[in-house]
Structure formats: C-alpha cells, structure tokens
C-alpha cells in the first residue's frame, strides 16, 4: 500500500521505516522537508513532502504529530485528500505540563477523547486509534518472551479497522478491537499507564497484553 505519514517525529520515522521494511511505499509529510535530508539519506526508499503531499499520496494515512496540534495539522493537509481514507491515529492528548508523580496530564476528559474531537471535525475521515499505547522502540516487530503484545484499537469504520488490523498483524501485534470512536476515551489514557514505569523507574521496554 501507499502510506502517507503526517509528522516527522520519532513515531513518524519509526513507523515509516516499519512500513518500508514490510514492503509499503511511504511518504513523510512535514512543515520542513529539508530538515529530513539526513534521515532520507539513511532511508532512501522513503519520500518526504509537505503535509498535504503526504495526505494526497497515502491510500492509508498515519497521524503522528503532537496531540495539541493534531487538528491544525489535518486542517493544513486540507481534509479533502484524506476523505474516505483510513487514518491511523497514533496521537495522545498530552498537555504541555510536567507529569505528577509520573502521571501525564491530558487536555481531554474521560468523557471526550482527542480522536472523538478529530472525528467530529473531520467526519469524512476513517480514524482508527492505534500505536498510541506503546513506546516507539516497540512499535514495529516487538519481541517479548511472553508472546505477541496486544494493540488496542477503536474507530467507527469496520473496513478501516480491518485494514489497520492487517498492518498490525504484519508488524507483529495481536489486535484487540475495542469498538467505536468513543472507546478512545479508554485507549488514549493507556499511554499514561504505559509511561508510569518509565517515569518512576526508567523502565520503557514493556507492552500491554490482553489475556483471555
Ligand atoms: N514518542 C513515542 O514513543 C510515542 C508513543 C506512542 C504515541 N505517541 C504519540 O505520537 C505522536 C507523535 O509523537 P512523537 O514523539 O513522534 O512526536 P511529537 O514531538 O509529539 O510531535 C512531532 C510532530 O508534531 C509536529 N508539530 C509539533 N508542533 C507543531 C505545530 N505547532 N504545528 C504543526 N505541527 C507541529 C511536528 O511537525 P513538523 O514535522 O512539521 O515539524 C512533528 O512532526 C504524539 O501525539 C505522541 O503523543 C508517541
């Protein structure tokens, strides 16, 4: 598939390398493509363009920007080239504030998640929450002695979730579909839980698994 990644941070770069390793064509979209020249030299199969270029390029889009600017970035992409496309939403609504005893602060409440806000503003996009509840170092081909970790996903569009489940399968995850967009109220805070051992004990190498 052609994957358009909106963002150029560590998540965008990690997932881009993963998509390329798994045989997909990938374009990163950023405000400053020139800044990515050193990365492009090391990842010659990737391409880089503006946010709008990446939105138009992808059959599937990945939203990998700071949570507070997620809506702005989608506006700058102009939603039209993304209409009808699955958009993998990796973002978390983290406030610009220090964690309290390791607990991140969010600018959303338990009654309204970031992905719901985005889905309301961009009703034609098929958002699927994924990759937000694990550190970037474990996003692609995670290896654990306890077996495959679980990626919790949600979104309103069954077809989009099926495509994302296929990608997660390729990337070495088992997928737990937690329902519609409102379930992001539960999945986004998993990042708070995931980060706690890191902030408290410098342990960043874990992932979640759902046991049945
Ligand atoms: N880091 C992780 O391990 C991890 C794990 C799970 C989920 N997440 C989530 O994934 C998302 C990406 O995380 P990240 O760590 O890769 O990067 P980040 O530092 O949260 O975000 C970097 C990206 O945000 C964009 N950005 C920042 N300020 C902007 C502004 N004012 N206007 C427009 N764009 C702006 C940048 O765009 P330009 O390219 O244009 O500069 C850059 O691509 C976040 O929502 C984060 O919470 C992160």
């Amino acid at each position: 598939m052609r994957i358009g990644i909106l963002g150029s941070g560590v998540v965008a770069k990690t997932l881009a390398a993963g998509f390329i390793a798994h045989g997909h064509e990938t374009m990163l979209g950023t405000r400053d493509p020139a800044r990515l020249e050193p990365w492009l030299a090391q990842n010659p199969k990737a391409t880089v363009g503006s946010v709008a270029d990446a939105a138009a390029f992808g059959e599937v889009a990945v939203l990998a920007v700071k949570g507070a600017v997620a809506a702005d970035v989608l506006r700058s992409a102009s939603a039209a080239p993304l209409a009808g496309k699955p958009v993998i939403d990796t973002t978390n609504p983290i406030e610009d504030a220090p964690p309290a005893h390791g607990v991140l602060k969010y600018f959303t409440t338990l009654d309204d998640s970031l992905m719901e806000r985005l889905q309301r503003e961009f009703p034609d996009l098929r958002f699927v929450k994924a990759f937000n509840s694990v550190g970037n170092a474990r996003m692609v081909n995670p290896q654990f002695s306890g077996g495959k970790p679980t990626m919790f996903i949600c979104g309103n569009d069954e077809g989009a979730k099926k495509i994302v489940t296929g990608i997660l399968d390729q990337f070495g995850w088992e997928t737990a579909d937690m329902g519609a967009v409102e379930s992001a109220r539960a999945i986004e805070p998993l990042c708070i839980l995931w980060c706690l051992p890191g902030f408290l004990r410098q342990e960043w190498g874990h992932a979640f698994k759902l046991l049945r």
Side-chain angles (χ1 to χ4, degrees), residues 70-76 79 114-125 127:
D72 289 341
V73 170
L74 288 174
R75 283 177 213 127
S76 76
L114 177 56
M115 195 166 87
E116 286 171 273
R117 294 185 187 182
L118 299 176
Q119 187 67 79
R120 277 197 298 271
E121 181 170 345
F122 305 98
D124 295 339
L125 277 51
F127 289 101

Side-chain angles (χ1 to χ4, degrees), residues 60-145:
V60 171
V62 178
L63 181 61
V65 298
K66 205 176 160 191
V69 301
D72 289 341
V73 170
L74 288 174
R75 283 177 213 127
S76 76
S78 101
L82 291 170
K85 294 180 183 175
V87 178
I88 301 175
D89 175 19
T90 73
T91 65
N92 285 309
I94 299 171
E95 270 211 47
D96 279 329
H101 290 268
V103 180
L104 284 170
K105 288 195 197 304
Y106 272 21
F107 58 77
T108 49
T109 68
L110 285 176
D111 297 319
D112 191 26
S113 58
L114 177 56
M115 195 166 87
E116 286 171 273
R117 294 185 187 182
L118 299 176
Q119 187 67 79
R120 277 197 298 271
E121 181 170 345
F122 305 98
D124 295 339
L125 277 51
R126 299 154 74 201
F127 289 101
V128 180
K129 197 93 213 171
F131 291 110
N132 72 300
S133 60
V134 70
N136 62 84
R138 298 286 185 285
M139 284 180 177
V140 182
N141 302 338
Q143 300 294 322
F144 290 100
S145 56

